[in-house]
Amino acid sequence: MTRQAVWAVVTGMYDAYTRGDRAGIDRLLHPEATIFDSAAPDLITSRAQLDKVRDARPTDGPEESGVTAYDEVVDVWGDTALARYLLRVDYVTGQSETVRTTTVLRRSDDEWLIVHVHENSL
C-alpha cells in the first residue's frame, strides 16, 4: 500500500501538470524541494526559481498532448521513498519524448511530499 501511495503522488503531480494546475503540483512538493528539470540546466532550489523556469517555457513549440509515467520502480524506507520511472511526453504532432526520472519523497504527518525530482531527456 505504501508504494502505491508514493506512486499516486508522483502520478498526481503529472495529472496536475497536464491540467495546467500549478497549485495542484505545488501541493505535492515539499516547500524546500529541489528539481533538475529536463528543460533547465541548473538545479532549482526554490519555488521562485521553479516559477521562473515554468514561465520561461516556450509557447511556440510543439504542443503537448499528454504525459505518462510508467515502468516505475518504487522503494520505501520508513519515511523516505525513491521512485524511478520513465516519462513519455506526447505531442500533438504525433512525436514523443522519453524522460528518465528519479523522484525522492518524504512522509510528514502521514502525507508523502516530493523533496527532489531529477529529469534526464533520453
Side-chain angles (χ1 to χ4, degrees):
M1 182 63 161
T2 301
R3 286 186 178 129
Q4 291 171 339
V6 167
W7 189 240
V9 172
V10 172
T11 57
M13 174 179 62
Y14 294 113
D15 290 344
Y17 174 80
T18 299
R19 292 189 312 271
D21 181 4
R22 278 191 187 185
I25 297 168
D26 291 349
R27 278 192 295 278
L28 301 173
L29 297 175
H30 186 278
E32 297 176 10
T34 57
I35 301 171
F36 275 120
D37 189 286
S38 62
D42 299 321
L43 178 66
I44 298 167
T45 60
S46 70
R47 198 61 53 94
Q49 288 176 339
L50 177 58
D51 285 338
K52 188 174 180 179
V53 168
R54 289 167 165 166
D55 292 340
R57 288 193 171 118
T59 56
D60 60 351
E63 184 180 343
E64 293 175 0
S65 59
V67 295
T68 305
Y70 63 100
D71 282 352
E72 70 274 7
V73 176
V74 178
D75 291 304
V76 178
W77 304 279
D79 291 334
T80 303
L82 180 63
R84 288 86 75 200
Y85 52 95
L86 296 175
L87 181 69
R88 188 181 71 240
V89 181
D90 295 312
Y91 298 96
V92 295
T93 61
Q95 296 177 317
S96 66
E97 174 184 13
T98 302
V99 180
R100 181 176 35 211
T101 308
T102 302
T103 300
V104 181
L105 300 91
R106 181 165 226 189
R107 185 173 44 210
S108 177
D109 298 326
D110 291 327
E111 176 182 45
W112 288 101
L113 292 176
I114 296 167
V115 295
H116 182 71
V117 178
H118 188 124
E119 299 177 336
N120 181 35
S121 293
L122 296 177

